[in-house]
């Protein structure tokens, strides 16, 4: 299994006037397993990883953490603030002092869990919360982010810029039939009303924003008409007038015919993590399985579950004038 993963990771492609490194599965069997893993976010020093793990239906989401141990990762544990509610999509602030996430937990103690409705279907809703680093190094109690950004109970994948702006995806009154990306700015003791990030035709679904801390480029998942699968990863660059350029499709090993979403940046320049349900290529007739090999293969990371993959887009960024 590991040999096949390494062979897969040796592919190298050219895209966006720069190269994209081969994909590498993050922590096979430890971080990336036969369950669903997505949304990797790293402490500023790169030594601690938070991510989401869930069942295939994603009805039971929990935020986990793991610590770097040389070239490997420690056995994940449930984050101190998670494990009781439908918690997902963690995101560090660039300074590491806060960790944001979304949850269906009640806004006030004793209230019912948050529920969302769309197309006649009811499901676990999401509001934005955060925990703050305490003097003892531990996280404080989860704090609800009050304001208009949480009014529709369908807020996903927060991403925080160094200036405090929060980007997220949502389905709102001005997003058309699909999801779009929004931003709020710090204002007084709260945040401004959400503003839709203008990226073009609203008939295109756009989710899972990842803002570069200095706000120079924005990554997201969607389909701008040239996606290889149901969703791919795109990048848009900030223009001199403050607007966003036309989204560019990332190639190489970033995108495949499988689903790609939840892009996040790692601690070093050009380091990109994406969630993907890419599978091992099975050819028939295959080597005859025993129960042991069948169980191992079907329960492994490449069984069609979403896993976390690492690529490097440093050359893509350098081709657009970035050096760090």
């Amino acid at each position: 299994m590991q040999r096949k993963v390494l062979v897969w990771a040796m592919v190298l492609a050219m895209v966006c006037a720069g190269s994209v490194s081969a994909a590498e599965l993050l922590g096979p069997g430890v971080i990336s397993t036969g369950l669903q893993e997505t949304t990797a976010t790293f402490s500023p020093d790169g030594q601690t990883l938070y991510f989401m793990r869930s069942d295939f239906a994603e009805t039971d989401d929990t935020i986990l953490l793991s610590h770097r141990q040389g070239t490997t990762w420690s056995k994940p544990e449930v984050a101190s603030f998670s494990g009781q509610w439908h918690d997902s999509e963690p995101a560090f602030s660039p300074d590491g002092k806060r960790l944001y996430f979304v949850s269906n937990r009640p806004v006030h103690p004793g209230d019912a869990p948050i529920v969302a409705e769309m197309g006649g279907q009811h499901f676990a809703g999401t509001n934005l919360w955060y925990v703050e680093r305490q003097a003892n190094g531990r996280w404080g109690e989860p704090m609800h982010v009050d304001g208009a950004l949480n009014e529709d109970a369908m807020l996903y994948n927060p991403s925080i810029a160094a200036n405090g702006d929060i980007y997220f995806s949502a389905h709102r009154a001005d997003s058309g039939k699909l999801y779009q990306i929004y931003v709020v700015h710090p204002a007084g003791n709260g945040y401004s009303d959400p503003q839709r990030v203008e990226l073009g035709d609203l008939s295109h679904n756009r989710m899972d924003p990842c803002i570069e801390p200095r706000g120079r480029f924005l990554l997201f998942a969607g389909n701008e008409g040239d996606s290889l699968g149901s969703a791919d990863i795109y990048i848009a660059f900030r223009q001199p007038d403050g607007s966003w350029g036309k989204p560019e499709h990332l190639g190489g090993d970033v995108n495949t015919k499988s689903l790609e979403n939840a892009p996040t940046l790692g601690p070093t320049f050009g380091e990109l993590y994406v969630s993907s349900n890419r599978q091992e290529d099975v050819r028939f007739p295959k080597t005859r399985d025993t129960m042991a090999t069948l169980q191992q293969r079907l329960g492994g990371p490449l069984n069609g579950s979403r896993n976390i993959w690492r690529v490097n887009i440093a050359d893509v960024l350098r081709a657009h004038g970035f050096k760090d």
Side-chain angles (χ1 to χ4, degrees), residues 53-247:
R53 178 173 287 167
S54 66
D55 58 330
F56 267 75
E58 296 186 21
T59 57
D60 187 4
D61 296 356
T62 303
I63 296 173
L64 308 182
L65 75 150
S66 176
H67 301 287
R68 193 186 296 274
Q69 296 179 329
T71 59
T72 62
W73 291 93
S74 67
K75 182 179 178 181
E77 56 189 276
V78 176
S80 61
F81 53 87
S82 191
Q84 187 174 11
W85 303 100
H86 190 275
D87 300 329
S88 61
E89 296 153 20
F92 266 106
S93 60
D95 61 11
K97 294 180 179 179
R98 286 185 177 183
L99 185 71
Y100 290 80
F101 63 100
V102 301
S103 177
N104 73 332
R105 63 185 63 204
V107 177
H108 304 105
D111 288 353
I114 298 170
V115 176
E117 186 274 331
M118 186 176 183
Q121 300 294 316
H122 292 81
F123 49 93
T126 51
N127 268 193
L128 183 63
W129 296 74
Y130 70 88
V131 287
E132 199 155 38
R133 186 76 72 185
Q134 306 299 296
N136 62 8
R138 299 177 180 175
W139 294 116
E141 290 298 312
M143 302 292 292
H144 185 258
V145 180
D146 296 328
L149 79 171
N150 271 329
E151 64 188 3
D152 290 321
M154 285 190 287
L155 183 156
Y156 302 99
N157 280 89
S159 182
I160 296 78
N163 65 359
D165 288 351
I166 300 176
Y167 289 73
F168 59 92
S169 53
H171 186 267
R172 300 176 63 87
D174 64 343
S175 64
K177 295 181 179 181
L178 302 172
Y179 286 81
Q180 299 297 327
I181 295 170
Y182 294 83
V183 61
V184 294
H185 311 286
N189 294 323
Y191 291 92
S192 65
D193 288 343
Q195 296 176 320
R196 192 180 68 230
V197 176
E198 298 298 337
L199 293 167
D201 189 349
L202 292 184
S203 68
H204 294 156
N205 195 42
R206 302 181 179 100
M207 294 195 70
D208 307 350
C210 172
I211 187 67
E212 188 264 343
R214 284 184 268 178
R216 299 177 298 175
F217 59 87
L218 177 70
L219 295 142
F220 66 92
N223 186 350
E224 297 295 307
D226 56 356
S227 173
L228 301 177
S230 57
D232 277 5
I233 308 301
Y234 293 82
I235 188 168
F237 293 93
R238 181 88 70 177
Q239 303 301 295
D241 64 0
S243 65
W244 292 101
K246 180 179 172 60

Side-chain angles (χ1 to χ4, degrees), residues 249-264:
H249 182 265
L250 285 170
D253 263 10
V254 175
N255 292 311
T256 68
K257 292 182 180 179
S258 301
L259 168 72
E260 274 80 37
N261 64 357
T264 59

